[in-house]
C-alpha cells in the first residue's frame, strides 16, 4: 500500500514540531536568583511559620546574594514584615520585592519578600535575626507576638589570594601622537580655520547688506517737493479738491521744503512767525525773502479771507512755488531738469 507523499510531509512536520516543543520545555528557575549551595532555614511558632533562604552560603566580592523571606499564617491572623533598614546589617540592598499574598494548599496565607544584596569588602557578613510581629485580627492589642530567626553568616571571599600583594605602579608619561596623526591634526586645524574664515566673511557680507537695507534712502528736499507739487496739480486739474484746499496744500508743500532745505521750522509756525524768522535767515537772498512774504500773504487771503482767485492766479501760485524750489535747490543737474519741466 502506497502512502501519499503529502501524508509523509505532514508526519515529518508533526514530529519536528513535537521535538521543538519538548526541547523548549525545561525546569523553571526559582525566582530570586540561582540557588546553588545556599542556606534554608525554617522556624515554627504555631500557627506561624517563618522560612529564610539564600542562594549561596559563600560568595566572592563581585557576586550578588539572593535572600528570600517567607511567612505562612492563618487567614484570621495578620503580620508585619521587618523594615528594610533594620534587616541586613553590612550588606548593600540593591533591590527589594514584596509579592502579593497568596493562599497555599494548606489554606494558609503566604507573604514573601525577596532581596538582592551586594557586599562591600571581603570578610564575614551577618544577616541578623529577622523578627516578624503577628497576632489575631480580633485581638484588641494588635501584633502582640513575635517570631524570630537565628542570624545567618555569609562568607565573602576576595578575588585575590591571601598572600598576593597589591602594588600600584607609577603613572606612565603622556604618549606622543603618531607622525601620521600629527599631520592629520594639522590638516584638520587648517581646514577648520579656513571654514571659520569663510563663515566670518559670509556673516560680514550678510550684515552689510542688512545694514544697507535698514537705512532708508533719503529723498532730497526738492525732489520731494516736486513730487508733491505734481500730485497736487493733477488733483486740481481733475477737480478733486477745491481752490481753498489747493492753496492750503501748496503753502504747506512750500513750508515743508523750506524746513527740509534750510532747517527753518516753517510748518509749525504761523505766517507772522514764519515771516519774522526768515528776516534773520542768512541762506535766503533778500529777493527770495520778499517772494516768500508776498506768497504766504496771498495764500492766507484765500484760506482765511475767502478771496476767490481766478484760474490764472492758481496757475501763478503753482509756478511761483515750483520756481522758488528750482531756484534754491542744491543739485544743479536736477535744477536743469526741473526748469525744462516748467
Amino acid at each position: 500500500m502506497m502512502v501519499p507523499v503529502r501524508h509523509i510531509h505532514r508526519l515529518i512536520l508533526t514530529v519536528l514540531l513535537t521535538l521543538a516543543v519538548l526541547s523548549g520545555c525545561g525546569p523553571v528557575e526559582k525566582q530570586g536568583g540561582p540557588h546553588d549551595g545556599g542556606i534554608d532555614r525554617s522556624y515554627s511558632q504555631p500557627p506561624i511559620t517563618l522560612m529564610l533562604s539564600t542562594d549561596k552560603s559563600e560568595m566572592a566580592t563581585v557576586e550578588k546574594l539572593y535572600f528570600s523571606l517567607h511567612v505562612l499564617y492563618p487567614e484570621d491572623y495578620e503580620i508585619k514584615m521587618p523594615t528594610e533598614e533594620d534587616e541586613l546589617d553590612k550588606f548593600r540592598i540593591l533591590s527589594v520585592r514584596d509579592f502579593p499574598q497568596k493562599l497555599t494548599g494548606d489554606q494558609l496565607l503566604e507573604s514573601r519578600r525577596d532581596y538582592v544584596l551586594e557586599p562591600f569588602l571581603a570578610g564575614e557578613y551577618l544577616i541578623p535575626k529577622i523578627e516578624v510581629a503577628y497576632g489575631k485580627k480580633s485581638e484588641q492589642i494588635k501584633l502582640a507576638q513575635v517570631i524570630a530567626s537565628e542570624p545567618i553568616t555569609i562568607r565573602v571571599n576576595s578575588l585575590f589570594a591571601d598572600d598576593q600583594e597589591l602594588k600600584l605602579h607609577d603613572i606612565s608619561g603622556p604618549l606622543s601622537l603618531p607622525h601620521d596623526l600629527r599631520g592629520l591634526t594639522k590638516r584638520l586645524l587648517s581646514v577648520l580655520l579656513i571654514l571659520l574664515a569663510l563663515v566670518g566673511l559670509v556673516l560680514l557680507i550678510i550684515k552689510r547688506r542688512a545694514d544697507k537695507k535698514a537705512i532708508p534712502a533719503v529723498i532730497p528736499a526738492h525732489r520731494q517737493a516736486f513730487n508733491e507739487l505734481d500730485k497736487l496739480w493733477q488733483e486740481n486739474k481733475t477737480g478733486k479738491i477745491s481752490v481753498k484746499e489747493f492753496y492750503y496744500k501748496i503753502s504747506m508743500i512750500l513750508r515743508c521744503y523750506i524746513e527740509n532745505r534750510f532747517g527753518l521750522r516753517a510748518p509749525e509756525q504761523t505766517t507772522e512767525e514764519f515771516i519774522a524768522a526768515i528776516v534773520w535767515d542768512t541762506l535766503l537772498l533778500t529777493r527770495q525773502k520778499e517772494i516768500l512774504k508776498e506768497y504766504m500773504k496771498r495764500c492766507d487771503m484765500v484760506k482765511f479771507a475767502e478771496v476767490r482767485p481766478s484760474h490764472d492766479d492758481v496757475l501763478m501760485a503753482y509756478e511761483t512755488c515750483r520756481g522758488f524750489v528750482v531756484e534754491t535747490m542744491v543739485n544743479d543737474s536736477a535744477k536743469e531738469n526741473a526748469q525744462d519741466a516748467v
Side-chain angles (χ1 to χ4, degrees), residues 123-178:
E124 286 191 352
Y125 282 70
L126 189 69
I127 298 178
K129 66 177 182 179
I130 303 297
E131 294 184 347
V132 177
Y134 69 93
K136 274 193 172 184
K137 296 179 181 179
S138 59
E139 293 178 347
Q140 293 184 353
I141 301 177
K142 301 294 184 180
L143 306 174
Q145 303 178 68
V146 175
I147 183 172
S149 68
E150 296 293 332
I152 299 176
T153 302
I154 304 294
R155 177 67 185 175
V156 178
N157 300 318
S158 173
L159 292 177
F160 302 98
D162 294 339
D163 58 349
Q164 184 177 358
E165 183 180 358
L166 297 178
K167 294 182 180 180
L168 296 178
H169 298 283
D170 293 335
I171 299 176
S172 302
L175 298 176
S176 58
L177 292 174

Side-chain angles (χ1 to χ4, degrees), residues 61-92:
T61 53
V62 296
E63 292 182 308
K64 296 180 178 62
L65 179 69
Y66 295 87
F67 173 58
S68 185
L69 168 64
H70 297 254
V71 182
L72 300 177
Y73 53 97
E75 293 185 64
D76 58 342
Y77 276 71
E78 58 183 349
I79 67 168
K80 180 183 178 183
M81 289 288 206
T83 57
E84 295 177 15
E85 56 270 14
D86 295 338
E87 293 170 359
L88 304 172
D89 194 33
K90 298 178 182 179
F91 279 107
R92 177 188 174 195

